[in-house]
Amino acid sequence: MISGGSDTSYRKQSVVGRRMFILSTAKLVVFGGIIAQLFSLQINQNKKYLTLSDKNRLREWKLPPIRGDFQDFFGNIIAGNLKVYQLHIIPEQVENFNNLIIRVKDILELDQKTFNKIIKKKNSQKPWETLIISENLSWDQFVKINFYLHELSGVKPVLSVARSYPYNENYTHLLGYVAQASQNDLTNNDEIKKKHVPGLRVGKIGLERSLENDLIGMNGVQRYEVNAYGKRINQIDHIEGQKGKSVRLTVDTKIQQKCNELLKDRAGSISVMDIYTGDILAMHSSPSFDPNLFLYGISYENWEAIRNNPKKPLINRSITGLYPPGSTIKPIVALSALENNVISPNFKVNCSGKIEMYGQTYNCWKKKGHGVVNLRDALKVSCDTFFYEMSRRLGVDRLNETAKKFGLGNKVFNNIFNEEKAGLVPSTEWKKNALGRGWVLGETLITGIGQGYIQTTPLQLCLMTAQLANGGFKINPKLIVNKDDLTFEDIKSKMSKNLEKKIEGPDFDNALVDLGMSSSKDDNLYSPLFRNQENVKFVLEAMFASTNEVRGTSFSSRIEDKKYQFAGKTGTSQVKRITEAQRELDLDISQIPYEDRDHALYIAFGPYKNPRYAMSVFIEHGGSGGSTAAPMAKKLFKVVIDRHEEREKYKQKNINFVA
Amino acid sequence: MFQETALSGQITFFQKLRSLDYILLFCLIILGLISSLSMYSTEGGEVLYHTKSHVIRFIVFFSMMLIFSFVNLKLWHSIGYIFYFVVLCLLIWASLYGVKASGSQRWVDLYFINLQPSELMKVAIIMCFAKFYHRTQIHLVNSFKNIIIPMVVLIVPILLVVSQPDLGTSILIGLSGLVVLWLSGVNAKYFIYSSLILLISLPFVISFLKPYQKLRILTFFNPDRDPLGAGYQIIQSKIAVGSGGLSGKGFLKGTQSYLDFLPEKHTDFIFTLFSEEHGFIGSVLLLFLYAIIIYRTAKIGASARSFFGKLFCYGFASSIFIYVTVNMSMVLGLLPIVGSPLPIMSYGGSSMLATMIGFSVVMSTKIYQKQIIA
């Protein structure tokens, strides 16, 4: 039986057929829509999605860049890189971190403290960041870890490099040191930010910091294909990194080491400079510390020891230590007086041990007095009374002008050391601005013997001495050897050319600078700092007398051998005002508390016949310059002059050698 | 002569064999092959668990389909309601004692197979409605009784599936049912009214959705809202498809898939993998293959004399279309992510079984196309 009859059946069929037709049309439209979307994704936006897909699957790992070396003048590495074995874990890729880390702890025999530190570090960083378990595995530990490696999945022994300072405490203040980059380093230096990888060491102070961008080098890159869980599947690419630039310094390790040896157990600084090229042969601040301690994070005990050392090893005395120069200023005072025609060399003062002026007594260091002295004698015996009288006539402002010209009161370097101090050479204007009070004439007197407001760094004194010793020409003190550095001969001929020019058209260049028309300081380089070179020569001769003639303040430290013979000037600067009662007591140095003892200073240049080097020796609370500082200079001079030949030979051999 | 024997129900085995739709069978085999290769690709070019069991299932269920094709259409017609009730019971069973996995209770443990009755319901509802409207006279189709009964028949399994919870399958069941209702002549105004009601009640419906389902809908409108969370699937899927380009990255070279960026690549996102590896050309060809299958199925329906056969074929063809459309639209970012497999391509025994049962009926309709069912 046919249900519903053929009519109903027919109508049913026609309805379903009609509706199926409508539906099929709709289906075609919908499929068309799907194709359109496929077209849009795969053809129109293919590039965009390909990029996204690559972004998904490719991940780059930056490798730590290898830091450039520091070399001394002779090419010896004074800051280099050592191979070290490290242990890394990426916590995200480890199934059971806690089990693993305890196993590692047992194998490496880590103590509880180190272990806790690792756990703390792990909790503070993201799970996909590399956790450095040990920065410096011993060979034994490395072997042991490799032995158990198959059961330590997720642990990676890594061969890495670390900074090393082979001369330990010798170059600490000069080079500075590196330590893990801090947040501050990242925000302040884009280069560091760009190249940062976990555990990257960057310079914290000294040359390591200021030359960071040259030293840092280029990251190597490993490009891996990773899966959705960040696991590396294939290495796609490996780009070798580039080692940072090596920097060759002007320093001589032998001399630097000698300075360190001389200053052993004392607080102080020694600087040695080539008086023509400005090359700094040595610059040491004592006490120092071993910068290698900072590499892996300094231990609390070591840090406390350094921090609590009363002699303050963290301070770089050579450039940040500000001290009254004492009698070492006298050559400049004398020069200034001569230059300004305040006195003639024949001017005489009768020193009775003290002088009454402006209702106050000013004492000479020698209680009995020097008798009648002229300028040469006054420098030789360092007669304070003479200098009181001469300064009075000179006035502080004219002294200020000369002292500044010769390098006092200004930073020696531009931008190498953040912490460098400019020091202070007082003037009437300065006092009015800084202290709001008028200049007192008595202050001129004590400024004339290097006390009172005046403050200089040991390196400034060295530069001052060098610029006197080369005949009074401006030089460029430097630590880094550059390709285009002028040779000694070039500089000498430049100086004599500048001198001729000066004689022909007096002071034209200086006048321009003074008028602010010639702004560049470098234009002034190797040009005369004096009005009349005879004045400079007079001062140098007096310094020779001070060292090499009987009654000279450093006569006992003289060297008679012409090859080593040097000239110098002692300085003893007071830390505390000495009362009349104390002066009467005339205590021996050992009876005075350390902090109240005088600073001992000595400036020198030599060899006297043909000067090439200048130095300044500074001993904090070292007593008198003549007894403490000058003997050190004597010992050092021998080394410096002996090294001179080596240096010249090396220069000849490596005429174009720049690290 | 042929008509005579057909009318009398006497068809020889040889005639039956000859009257099979070979184009359709061929397309299904091609699809089975493509799906097996895709499965092989999901496993990174190794024959592992998924590939093996997919191939076995395809072979077993395809053979089963061939055998069942020879079952007289009358028999399919006669078990139309029973099939629906059995599946309904299984659904109830699943919601009571079912196997739980990843937060929903969809499976019945039948010892040899973990059956997902909701998948079978997709076919059962079509068969049930085909029988219902086969017996209903055209002028009674829009009577109150004949509107209410199908509604209940449709809504009960939907509610059961929604509560598993499985939004995707319940939507597909609903759409399959509705499309049969539409084909069988239910007044268009009912569809218009009910869609209006649905639109108005949408906010209320959404408020009853599980949080993750709401998230999916929100994510659909803005996948970048939470690129590592809810938006991850759709973003990664679009990246995979988009990066495939014109001709694809090549077989076994879909980086999105083998590096595991692609979620659910065996099941709902199998088309994404295929599209990444074979590009626009491959995708359009695959879509074309589905179009042929749908067309052949509908064509069998068009030439069927029995209303049951016709309605089933039309209904089944349309639901295949719906599955394909929903799945592809979903992975291409045109629809929110709801769990919906791509027929035959996606991994899943129950879905494959249901699809093959459907094709058995279609083939049976072809063999018995002249048959009139009382």
Side-chain angles (χ1 to χ4, degrees):
Chain A
M1 190 203 108
I2 298 163
S3 68
S6 60
D7 179 43
T8 340
S9 173
Y10 174 75
R11 272 182 58 205
K12 256 163 103 171
Q13 301 266 8
S14 79
V15 165
V16 76
R18 205 168 56 234
R19 291 206 165 180
M20 188 60 189
F21 178 75
I22 297 169
L23 211 56
S24 302
T25 318
K27 285 176 194 171
L28 280 178
V29 172
V30 171
F31 269 16
I34 288 175
I35 290 172
Q37 172 74 351
L38 276 168
F39 189 86
S40 147
L41 289 177
Q42 299 193 296
I43 311 292
N44 284 347
Q45 302 180 66
N46 176 240
K47 269 225 176 86
K48 168 184 156 193
Y49 285 112
L50 256 179
T51 321
L52 285 173
S53 149
D54 280 347
K55 234 163 118 188
N56 261 347
R57 74 188 178 98
L58 298 177
R59 209 149 299 168
E60 287 185 350
W61 268 267
K62 274 193 284 185
L63 303 172
I66 296 177
R67 209 170 168 77
D69 297 329
F70 276 112
Q71 299 173 0
D72 74 356
F73 189 81
F74 298 92
N76 302 310
I77 288 177
I78 55 176
N81 299 296
L82 267 188
K83 275 185 184 163
V84 289
Y85 301 101
Q86 300 189 332
L87 196 64
H88 295 182
I89 293 181
I90 298 175
E92 196 185 45
Q93 298 176 1
V94 176
E95 259 176 55
N96 190 332
F97 181 80
N98 290 334
N99 285 355
L100 182 74
I101 194 72
I102 286 167
R103 188 85 181 89
V104 169
K105 182 194 167 199
D106 288 345
I107 293 169
L108 296 183
E109 292 159 20
L110 299 174
D111 56 44
Q112 194 58 38
K113 226 170 104 187
T114 322
F115 181 75
N116 291 343
K117 223 189 237 171
I118 292 168
I119 297 294
K120 221 173 117 189
K121 203 159 84 184
K122 188 232 165 189
N123 294 334
S124 70
Q125 62 184 38
K126 302 276 187 311
W128 55 82
E129 286 176 346
T130 305
L131 177 67
I132 299 169
I133 301 294
S134 168
E135 308 234 36
N136 193 9
L137 290 174
S138 67
W139 176 247
D140 284 350
Q141 284 175 319
F142 186 71
V143 169
K144 234 168 142 189
I145 277 289
N146 277 301
F147 182 74
Y148 289 110
L149 204 57
H150 62 279
E151 49 185 277
L152 300 171
S153 84
V155 168
K156 274 179 286 183
V158 176
L159 183 64
S160 181
V161 289
R163 200 63 160 166
S164 84
Y165 300 98
Y167 295 100
N168 302 30
E169 81 281 5
N170 273 296
Y171 281 114
T172 306
H173 294 108
L174 195 62
L175 296 178
Y177 56 84
V178 296
Q180 246 188 54
S182 66
Q183 198 51 51
N184 249 340
D185 295 324
L186 292 178
T187 34
N188 294 336
N189 188 333
D190 284 343
E191 202 71 9
I192 294 178
K193 196 174 170 186
K194 221 167 63 196
K195 294 169 177 173
H196 185 253
V197 292
L200 180 72
R201 274 15 182 213
V202 298
K204 292 293 177 175
I205 57 166
L207 291 170
E208 288 273 29
R209 192 196 59 79
S210 54
L211 299 179
E212 182 65 52
N213 295 359
D214 289 332
L215 292 166
I216 190 165
M218 292 284 283
N219 296 92
V221 177
Q222 283 180 317
R223 194 172 289 132
Y224 280 93
E225 191 170 61
V226 296
N227 69 9
Y229 315 106
K231 194 178 161 202
R232 301 177 194 192
I233 306 293
N234 298 311
Q235 184 170 337
I236 302 284
D237 210 355
H238 177 105
I239 302 163
E240 283 285 337
Q242 243 175 20
K243 190 177 169 174
K245 260 195 251 164
S246 288
V247 178
R248 187 172 149 225
L249 301 184
T250 57
V251 292
D252 182 336
T253 303
K254 286 268 155 50
I255 301 174
Q256 182 81 10
Q257 278 173 321
K258 185 71 184 173
C259 295
N260 184 33
E261 187 193 311
L262 290 169
L263 288 171
K264 196 119 237 143
D265 303 325
R266 288 185 181 270
S269 154
I270 301 181
S271 315
V272 183
M273 194 184 285
D274 185 312
I275 62 173
Y276 291 100
T277 61
D279 285 4
I280 290 168
L281 273 63
M283 186 173 105
H284 186 65
S285 173
S286 179
S288 187
F289 56 90
D290 187 352
N292 292 312
L293 292 175
F294 283 82
L295 282 183
Y296 307 110
I298 189 163
S299 75
Y300 181 74
E301 295 78 27
N302 282 335
W303 175 240
E304 284 295 298
I306 290 172
R307 224 170 54 118
N308 295 334
N309 185 332
K311 288 179 180 164
K312 299 196 164 55
L314 288 170
I315 294 175
N316 183 359
R317 290 183 164 76
S318 315
I319 51 162
T320 64
L322 290 179
Y323 311 95
S327 301
T328 54
I329 193 78
K330 281 176 184 165
I332 284 295
V333 181
L335 180 68
S336 185
L338 289 171
E339 292 272 274
N340 291 298
N341 294 317
V342 173
I343 57 158
S344 79
N346 297 322
F347 176 74
K348 289 189 180 70
V349 168
N350 184 8
C351 169
S352 60
K354 57 185 167 187
I355 185 172
E356 298 279 340
M357 251 185 253
Y358 314 115
Q360 233 181 323
T361 309
Y362 295 89
N363 292 293
C364 183
W365 65 272
K366 196 169 181 185
K367 268 187 284 178
K368 287 182 285 180
H370 290 99
V372 177
V373 285
N374 62 13
L375 179 55
R376 186 173 183 276
D377 293 333
L379 268 170
K380 176 175 147 189
V381 298
S382 201
C383 175
D384 292 336
T385 314
F386 184 94
F387 275 87
Y388 292 140
E389 177 55 25
M390 190 170 65
S391 319
R392 190 182 65 81
R393 295 176 180 220
L394 175 63
V396 72
D397 288 335
R398 285 192 283 194
L399 171 59
N400 171 286
E401 191 199 338
T402 313
K404 281 209 158 150
K405 249 196 226 171
F406 277 83
L408 304 185
N410 291 313
K411 288 187 181 179
V412 176
F413 300 112
N414 294 324
N415 310 323
I416 294 188
F417 298 96
N418 248 2
E419 65 274 25
E420 188 181 359
K421 298 260 165 67
L424 173 66
V425 182
S427 67
T428 50
E429 198 189 332
W430 163 80
K431 193 179 175 192
K432 211 168 21 184
N433 290 339
L435 303 177
R437 275 175 277 138
W439 187 261
V440 180
L441 279 172
E443 289 167 351
T444 306
L445 270 54
I446 57 169
T447 305
I449 62 159
Q451 295 285 157
Y453 295 119
I454 186 163
Q455 287 197 308
T456 57
T457 65
L459 189 65
Q460 283 174 343
L461 292 179
C462 186
L463 175 62
M464 175 193 89
T465 314
Q467 293 186 142
L468 280 172
N470 65 22
F473 295 90
K474 186 168 177 59
I475 57 165
N476 175 30
K478 63 189 194 347
L479 277 165
I480 300 157
V481 176
N482 284 312
K483 220 185 234 151
D484 45 3
D485 282 343
L486 294 176
T487 62
F488 163 70
E489 287 77 18
D490 292 343
I491 291 168
K492 253 202 127 157
S493 73
K494 263 201 166 181
M495 282 177 177
S496 48
K497 227 183 265 165
N498 284 340
L499 184 62
E500 277 167 38
K501 225 171 33 184
K502 183 185 174 72
I503 291 163
E504 283 163 19
D507 252 0
F508 186 67
D509 284 347
N510 276 347
L512 281 182
V513 172
D514 291 345
L515 289 168
M517 288 169 74
S518 174
S519 58
S520 164
K521 253 181 142 181
D522 273 7
D523 289 348
N524 261 341
L525 207 53
Y526 311 123
S527 61
L529 298 165
F530 48 80
R531 294 200 179 117
N532 183 353
Q533 200 175 21
E534 289 310 310
N535 297 331
V536 178
K537 284 181 177 158
F538 180 89
V539 170
L540 297 179
E541 206 277 326
M543 283 171 79
F544 176 79
S546 170
T547 309
N548 297 292
E549 285 178 12
V550 186
R551 295 214 303 143
T553 48
S554 52
F555 182 64
S556 57
S557 299
R558 74 194 178 283
I559 304 176
E560 277 167 8
D561 183 346
K562 289 274 184 287
K563 188 180 167 196
Y564 301 106
Q565 195 171 43
F566 63 92
K569 179 73 199 80
T570 55
T572 306
S573 74
Q574 277 175 25
V575 178
K576 237 177 117 174
R577 212 184 178 85
I578 299 178
T579 62
E580 212 48 46
Q582 278 169 326
R583 191 177 300 277
E584 290 307 315
L585 277 173
D586 199 10
L587 290 168
D588 188 71
I589 183 162
S590 58
Q591 293 166 283
I592 306 169
Y594 177 78
E595 306 86 67
D596 294 347
R597 292 179 199 168
D598 294 338
H599 297 318
L601 296 99
Y602 193 65
I603 55 171
F605 65 91
Y608 182 69
K609 274 268 131 72
N610 245 326
R612 276 309 297 274
Y613 299 106
M615 70 173 66
S616 81
V617 178
F618 166 79
I619 316 293
E620 200 169 290
H621 305 299
S624 89
S627 65
T628 317
M632 285 190 192
K634 178 185 175 178
K635 284 179 197 156
L636 187 58
F637 235 102
K638 279 234 163 95
V639 180
V640 171
I641 301 300
D642 284 339
R643 293 293 291 169
H644 174 72
E645 263 166 54
E646 295 285 319
R647 201 176 174 87
E648 291 302 310
K649 246 192 267 168
Y650 193 82
K651 270 189 205 166
Q652 283 305 313
K653 224 168 48 195
N654 302 279
I655 201 110
N656 283 320
F657 170 68
V658 170
Chain B
M1 181 206 86
F2 181 68
Q3 205 171 21
E4 249 174 71
T5 43
L7 278 169
S8 62
Q10 305 291 317
I11 319 171
T12 62
F13 177 74
F14 178 68
Q15 283 170 327
K16 286 180 188 173
L17 203 60
R18 221 177 48 177
S19 62
L20 280 173
D21 187 335
Y22 286 101
I23 294 175
L24 183 55
L25 288 180
F26 178 72
C27 287
L28 288 177
I29 288 169
I30 293 292
L31 195 57
L33 206 67
I34 291 174
S35 73
S36 301
L37 289 174
S38 298
M39 212 53 70
Y40 175 69
S41 177
T42 64
E43 299 186 313
E46 278 178 90
V47 180
L48 297 178
Y49 175 77
H50 285 109
T51 315
K52 263 188 235 163
S53 77
H54 188 79
V55 170
I56 291 169
R57 278 171 189 168
F58 181 76
I59 293 170
V60 168
F61 292 141
F62 185 81
S63 317
M64 185 204 76
M65 184 267 280
L66 277 180
I67 294 163
F68 283 0
S69 301
F70 296 97
V71 169
N72 196 316
L73 190 62
K74 273 185 182 168
L75 189 65
W76 289 116
H77 175 259
S78 63
I79 63 162
Y81 292 159
I82 300 162
F83 185 44
Y84 172 80
F85 279 112
V86 169
V87 176
L88 195 65
C89 289
L90 285 172
L91 268 179
I92 294 166
W93 180 268
S95 62
L96 293 177
Y97 311 108
V99 181
K100 271 193 184 176
S102 50
S104 74
Q105 195 170 346
R106 306 177 182 175
W107 293 271
V108 177
D109 186 3
L110 293 182
Y111 300 103
F112 61 97
I113 186 175
N114 264 353
L115 193 69
Q116 192 183 337
S118 54
E119 286 291 339
L120 291 179
M121 185 50 89
K122 289 197 228 165
V123 184
I125 195 82
I126 301 170
M127 227 195 281
C128 177
F129 280 171
K131 178 167 179 172
F132 181 81
Y133 287 105
H134 175 81
R135 294 160 65 116
T136 310
Q137 289 180 346
I138 186 71
H139 59 277
L140 293 175
V141 162
N142 285 305
S143 71
F144 182 69
K145 188 187 106 188
N146 287 340
I147 291 297
I148 287 303
I149 291 172
M151 286 316 283
V152 172
V153 165
L154 187 56
I155 281 168
V156 171
I158 287 177
L159 288 179
L160 282 169
V161 176
V162 164
S163 68
Q164 284 178 344
D166 183 353
L167 189 64
T169 313
S170 62
I171 286 173
L172 292 181
I173 293 170
L175 288 174
S176 302
L178 286 174
V179 90
V180 184
L181 292 185
W182 158 264
L183 288 170
S184 51
V186 170
N187 202 321
K189 69 180 181 200
Y190 290 118
F191 290 96
I192 295 165
Y193 291 156
S194 51
S195 14
L196 278 178
I197 291 165
L198 187 72
L199 226 80
I200 293 161
S201 64
L202 207 60
F204 302 100
V205 174
I206 286 175
S207 71
F208 281 110
L209 290 176
K210 304 262 177 206
Y212 82 93
Q213 290 168 332
K214 276 190 226 172
L215 201 62
R216 279 182 179 178
I217 291 170
L218 285 175
T219 304
F220 165 67
F221 289 111
N222 183 11
D224 296 325
R225 221 173 65 103
D226 181 11
L228 291 175
Y232 180 80
Q233 291 184 326
I234 187 61
I235 289 173
Q236 294 301 338
S237 176
K238 278 168 91 169
I239 290 174
V241 173
S243 62
L246 182 67
S247 55
K249 293 179 183 169
F251 183 52
L252 299 181
K253 286 178 188 155
T255 55
Q256 284 285 100
S257 129
Y258 89 81
L259 296 172
D260 286 336
F261 289 101
L262 211 57
E264 319 237 352
K265 55 186 175 187
H266 300 103
T267 55
D268 293 356
F269 287 87
I270 190 88
F271 178 65
T272 309
L273 169 124
F274 181 85
S275 193
E276 184 188 14
E277 292 190 345
H278 305 289
F280 180 70
I281 295 171
S283 308
V284 171
L285 286 177
L286 184 67
L287 196 64
F288 190 61
L289 189 64
Y290 276 111
I292 296 172
I293 290 169
I294 292 163
Y295 167 73
R296 295 301 300 186
T297 307
K299 195 165 181 271
I300 291 169
S303 56
R305 280 190 72 180
S306 69
F307 194 72
F308 171 77
K310 188 185 284 290
L311 197 53
F312 182 86
C313 288
Y314 283 174
F316 187 66
S318 302
S319 35
I320 295 278
F321 163 78
I322 288 165
Y323 307 153
V324 171
T325 306
V326 170
N327 179 276
M328 288 191 180
S329 308
M330 179 181 93
V331 302
L332 295 179
L334 294 170
L335 283 178
I337 303 285
V338 289
S340 74
L342 191 60
I344 299 181
M345 283 289 281
S346 287
Y347 182 80
S350 306
S351 162
M352 178 93 84
L353 177 64
T355 311
M356 288 306 182
I357 289 174
F359 282 115
S360 302
V361 182
V362 172
M363 280 302 167
S364 169
T365 309
K366 177 75 170 62
I367 292 171
Y368 297 96
Q369 58 181 333
K370 304 289 183 225
Q371 183 130 354
I372 293 163
I373 301 164

